[in-house]
Amino acid sequence: MPASRYTVSDVMTHTAVAIGREASYKEIVELMQEWKVSAVPVLEGEGRVVGVVSEADLLPKEEFRREEPRLPDQLEEASKAGGVLAEDLMSSPAVTVHPDATIAEAARIMARRHVKRLPVVNGLGMLEGVVSRSDLLKVFLRPDEELEEEIRQAVLTELAPGMSLDFSVQDGVVTLRGPVHDRALVPLLARAIRGVEGVVDVRMDLDGTASATA
């Protein structure tokens, strides 16, 4: 199966807006509005990421403006309602990702930690950029011709050398056609093609009946 050629460094925003610990609540809101972002990393020293302030960290000030928390799991959120500086509001330690992480790894972190943006840090924890959900979707803008070439060179040449297989790519959907005598090869081919960054779906027409693969 081909290894992903795309990493976070390929799609991240290198010029990232960030704040210091002493940034005020209003400054943070203004910055988010100006840069159209949902979260900003908090830095100290020469650029080490120590936390992140997101829209979710700012909302408790409005949520608990007139009401006290009623449930135990609201206590942490309510504690931020009185925050006025980034160091009071930020979530720490920050959920981050390294620039050499794959697109899939970054997507899993976002899904599991329920965040929309990740600071990208080097081995010393210094900020190198930010990657967002929309950044991760950039791989689906790859032209069909580019996907065809990678599938031909990195998948079929490796897994099905000499086999009379044909395939096409339309809007990122790959359809593979032709005789496959070893049925055990079918799921391997499907998995390998799906592993190519930018592939939307894989369909097999190996027995004359097209079907989407699981």
Side-chain angles (χ1 to χ4, degrees), residues 33-162:
Q33 289 292 318
E34 178 183 353
W35 288 83
K36 302 294 188 278
V37 295
S38 59
V40 289
V42 182
L43 310 182
E44 71 175 10
E46 297 183 0
R48 187 169 64 88
V49 178
V50 293
V52 171
V53 177
S54 68
E55 292 170 334
D57 295 315
L58 299 175
L59 284 176
K61 189 172 291 293
E62 182 63 31
E63 181 181 358
F64 298 105
R65 182 181 298 277
R66 295 184 179 87
E67 293 185 7
E68 294 295 322
R70 299 177 180 178
L71 301 174
D73 59 0
Q74 292 181 323
L75 293 176
E76 183 177 353
E77 289 185 20
S79 68
K80 294 185 178 184
V84 294
L85 300 178
E87 62 183 2
D88 306 316
L89 298 161
M90 68 183 186
S91 297
S92 181
V95 180
T96 62
V97 68
H98 291 293
D100 58 354
T102 66
I103 303 298
E105 288 171 338
R108 280 194 293 270
I109 293 172
M110 287 185 183
R112 291 172 181 170
R113 302 302 295 270
H114 305 290
V115 295
K116 299 177 181 178
R117 297 167 62 83
L118 291 171
V120 182
V121 300
N122 62 21
L124 299 176
M126 308 293 280
L127 183 67
E128 293 197 354
V130 171
V131 65
S132 67
R133 290 176 176 175
S134 60
D135 290 328
L136 299 185
L137 294 175
K138 289 177 183 177
V139 293
F140 293 104
L141 298 177
R142 296 181 67 190
D144 289 343
E145 296 77 13
E146 188 176 316
L147 296 176
E148 286 180 9
E149 182 62 21
E150 183 171 344
I151 292 168
R152 182 177 294 108
Q153 297 296 328
V155 178
L156 298 185
T157 300
E158 293 292 326
L159 294 180

Side-chain angles (χ1 to χ4, degrees), residues 186-203:
V186 175
L188 295 179
L189 284 169
R191 194 176 305 117
I193 293 173
R194 185 173 282 108
V196 173
E197 296 288 1
V199 168
V200 175
D201 195 14
V202 182
R203 298 178 182 276

